[in-house]
């Protein structure tokens, strides 16, 4: 087992509310205060807004994926969710390539591939209607077989997307049911701000 596959989550077969508890956020630049700054000029840190629980997803077991995963790609996402799924996969790919632990384990040039299975729902985030989507997908181009599970939100009015959480597993982690969390951008509000 490599350093990349250090596990922080208990095994689970269905992605539920517990899947957002161990989200790992990508680091951001630390703001330091100089002698000329005032307290009012330093942005005050606040925790990210709490997302709604993801739709329940029962990931396909490894034997099923290895036996016929390619045949699942055509029907794994409903037509009305295709655009959302493509946008979520693009956001997941950016997060995968930006996480040093992932590139150390799988190498450079990894890409999100076909979707094995998906689950969608409609919920509320900060009082706004949002589309929710969870994808179990193939990861291509790495040094070893791997798959990911991504959870995303999309504002039903503006179409703005947020990657909420991302997990990745190699074969060993898949068999043990212990995925690793990938660093994702800190969740931010979808509420529009007034522009003066």
């Amino acid at each position: 087992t490599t350093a990349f596959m250090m596990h922080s989550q208990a095994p689970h077969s269905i992605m539920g509310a517990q899947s957002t508890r161990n989200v790992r956020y990508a680091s951001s630049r630390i703001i330091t205060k100089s002698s000329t700054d005032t307290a009012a000029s330093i942005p005050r840190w606040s925790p990210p807004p709490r997302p709604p629980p993801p739709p329940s997803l029962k990931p396909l077991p490894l034997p099923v994926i290895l036996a016929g995963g390619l045949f699942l790609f055509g029907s794994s996402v409903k037509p009305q969710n295709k655009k959302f799924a493509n946008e979520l996969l693009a956001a997941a790919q950016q997060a995968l390539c930006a996480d040093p632990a992932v590139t150390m384990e799988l190498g450079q040039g990894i890409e999100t591939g076909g979707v094995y299975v998906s689950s969608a729902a409609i919920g509320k985030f900060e009082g706004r209607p949002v589309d929710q989507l969870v994808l179990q997908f193939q990861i291509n181009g790495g040094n070893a077989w791997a798959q990911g599970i991504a959870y995303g939100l999309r504002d039903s009015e503006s179409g703005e997307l947020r990657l909420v959480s991302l997990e990745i597993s190699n074969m060993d982690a898949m068999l043990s049911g212990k995925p690793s969390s990938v660093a994702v951008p800190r969740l931010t509000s979808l509420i529009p701000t007034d522009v003066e």
Side-chain angles (χ1 to χ4, degrees), residues 12-15 56-77 114-119 134-138 145-149 169-171 173-175 177:
H12 62 277
S13 59
I14 297 178
M15 187 172 186
S56 294
L57 177 79
K58 188 172 183 179
L60 295 180
L62 184 59
V64 174
I65 290 176
L66 296 179
L70 295 177
F71 296 100
L72 303 170
F73 294 161
S75 59
S76 57
V77 179
V115 176
Y116 298 122
V117 65
S118 67
S119 180
V134 180
L135 304 174
Q136 180 188 11
F137 60 92
Q138 183 182 44
W145 183 93
Q147 66 112 48
I149 295 181
S169 306
N170 62 8
M171 284 193 179
M174 185 113 181
L175 290 171

Side-chain angles (χ1 to χ4, degrees), residues 138-182:
Q138 183 182 44
I139 296 176
N140 298 326
N143 300 328
W145 183 93
Q147 66 112 48
I149 295 181
Y151 168 39
L153 302 175
R154 185 179 64 176
D155 191 292
S156 299
E157 298 176 4
S158 69
E160 194 170 351
L161 181 139
R162 296 287 186 273
L163 175 62
V164 178
S165 64
L166 179 59
E167 299 173 349
I168 188 173
S169 306
N170 62 8
M171 284 193 179
D172 289 341
M174 185 113 181
L175 290 171
S176 66
K178 296 180 178 179
S180 294
S181 296
V182 177

